[in-house]
Structure formats: C-alpha cells, structure tokens
Amino acid sequence: MKRKDSKGFIKEVMKFYEGLSKYYSAKNQKVYWKDAYEEYLQNLHRQQHKCSFKDICMCNTKKILNLYDDFNNAIPTIRLYHAIERDSGNFDHIINPVEMYLPKIVTPRIIDQRIKNQQGLFMLIPIDFDPDPNPKPDLDPEVKTKKRRNRIQSRINTLLYTNKENEAVAFTIPCCMKEKIRKELSNIGISKSFIYPDATHYAEDIADSYLN
C-alpha cells in the first residue's frame, strides 16, 4: 500500500478501538476482545437469514455492528482489500480489526528455493494504542516510550515461552558447542548452501570441506 493509504488504515483501526473501548468501558477486558467479533459475525448471520432488524436494534450489539461496518466500509480498508486481492485472490471482505491488536506468527509465501529450504516464520508486530482514555499530556517522553514498549512486549510474549513473571525465556547455546552442532547439521545436509542456495555459498561449502 502507499504510505498515505497505510496511515489512513491505521487511523481507521484506532478509530475502531476508541469506539469499542467506550462501549466496553465497564466490562472485563478479556470479554472486550473475546466477544466483539463473535457478536459481529452472529449479527451478520442473522441479517443474512432476514431476522428482524428491530431485534438487533433492541440489543447493545448494534453498536458493535455499526463499528465494524464503519471500519470495513472505510476507503483505506477497501484499498487494503484491493491490495490483498492482487496478491492472494478473492476472499471475504470482513477484516477483524481486533486482530490488528494481536501479534501473529506468519508463514511466508514460497517464492524461491531459499525460502523453501529455510522454512522460516515471521512475527507480525501488532499496532499499538494507548488503552488509557485520558492519557496525561505532560507525561515524560521516555516514560511514554517505555510504557508503549512494555505494552507491545506483553502482547508478543503471548507467542513466546514465558516464565511465571511473563518474561520470555531465552535458551543460550554455549560457544564451545557451536562447531559440533554445525558438523551435526552438515551430516544431515543442512549447510550454508542449503540455507542460502547460491553459487557463493556452494563455493564456501566446498572450501570448508577441504579445510576440515
């Protein structure tokens, strides 16, 4: 997407969050994220089966329905749909903006041998927003940045192996073991040229075989 469209889409996501935060201000936050999209999809299902729209108006869910409709009908969102279709083909035009809040592990498209061999995954970092409806304008920039970093990290930690303090657990490979691990990997065919299948790394593997 163009930078202008990308910024416009983020604004639409933020606008959605602001509306949803007001609607769920008195509710538990777990319910806030869990129920919103389910209620929206249930109401879409009811509309498709021509249930009484009066019933929907009678319940608070109509407010959520309007928030989602406004988001999905916004011009930046529609432009995002077009960008996705160019890459992935047709799909249902119902993006869940709540998903923009959550981190994800993404599998890349297999477009060349290197990506196929690496079998790598990517992390999609979520959009950040301040959950405080009345943030302090005089807050120190460093404190504000630290709070923002902590908010994002706490969400990323949901994908990681963490301890009781919700801190990511790191596994350190001792330096003295690296050479042994490389040789074991090489014995099963995983070498530089496997990870980076190009002429330069093939040549390096051949040279290493003579050195070792």
Side-chain angles (χ1 to χ4, degrees):
M1 296 177 69
K2 294 180 179 178
R3 188 174 182 83
K4 180 181 178 182
D5 293 336
S6 181
K7 284 185 175 181
F9 177 73
I10 291 174
K11 284 183 180 178
E12 292 299 327
V13 174
M14 301 289 279
K15 190 189 302 182
F16 171 86
Y17 284 140
E18 289 172 4
L20 201 61
S21 296
K22 291 175 184 176
Y23 176 71
Y24 276 108
S25 59
K27 290 192 176 184
N28 182 287
Q29 199 174 46
K30 289 183 179 178
V31 177
Y32 167 44
W33 298 117
K34 179 178 179 295
D35 290 353
Y37 196 57
E38 290 179 6
E39 290 182 30
Y40 175 58
L41 293 179
Q42 286 170 6
N43 277 280
L44 285 181
H45 181 73
R46 292 185 191 125
Q47 285 185 320
Q48 288 171 359
H49 287 78
K50 298 182 179 180
C51 77
S52 171
F53 191 74
K54 183 179 178 181
D55 294 338
I56 298 176
C57 291
M58 294 292 287
C59 66
N60 289 331
T61 305
K62 182 177 181 295
K63 297 177 182 179
I64 295 179
L65 185 65
N66 290 335
L67 284 174
Y68 276 99
D69 282 340
D70 290 346
F71 171 79
N72 276 288
N73 294 324
I75 291 177
T77 309
I78 292 172
R79 287 178 175 167
L80 176 61
Y81 288 143
H82 291 317
I84 295 172
E85 284 182 336
R86 285 197 299 269
D87 188 63
S88 303
N90 292 329
F91 67 101
D92 289 338
H93 287 194
I94 308 175
I95 286 179
N96 179 4
V98 172
E99 293 292 335
M100 303 297 167
Y101 176 84
L102 305 170
K104 293 180 179 58
I105 300 297
V106 182
T107 303
R109 291 178 62 204
I110 307 301
I111 58 174
D112 59 31
Q113 190 63 36
R114 178 177 66 83
I115 292 178
K116 181 179 179 180
N117 289 357
Q118 289 180 357
Q119 300 179 33
L121 300 173
F122 294 91
M123 181 181 287
L124 178 65
I125 304 300
I127 295 174
D128 177 63
F129 73 101
D130 191 345
D132 186 355
N134 300 303
K136 298 178 181 178
D138 57 342
L139 191 65
D140 184 90
E142 289 188 13
V143 175
K144 190 174 181 179
T145 300
K146 185 177 180 180
K147 288 181 68 175
R148 179 174 181 269
R149 189 184 301 117
N150 289 341
R151 283 198 304 270
I152 294 175
Q153 188 62 52
S154 66
R155 280 179 271 155
I156 290 174
N157 285 352
T158 62
L159 299 177
L160 304 177
Y161 183 72
T162 57
N163 57 24
K164 292 181 180 180
E165 287 73 37
N166 197 33
E167 297 171 339
V169 177
F171 296 89
T172 303
I173 299 174
C175 182
C176 61
M177 296 297 295
K178 289 184 178 180
E179 189 60 35
K180 181 182 177 182
I181 292 172
R182 287 195 186 101
K183 287 181 179 179
E184 290 176 351
L185 289 172
S186 180
N187 289 337
I188 60 174
I190 300 177
S191 59
K192 291 179 183 177
S193 59
F194 178 82
I195 301 299
Y196 303 102
D198 56 57
T200 300
H201 289 92
Y202 280 120
E204 287 182 9
D205 275 353
I206 293 171
D208 289 342
S209 68
Y210 282 98
L211 289 173
N212 298 326

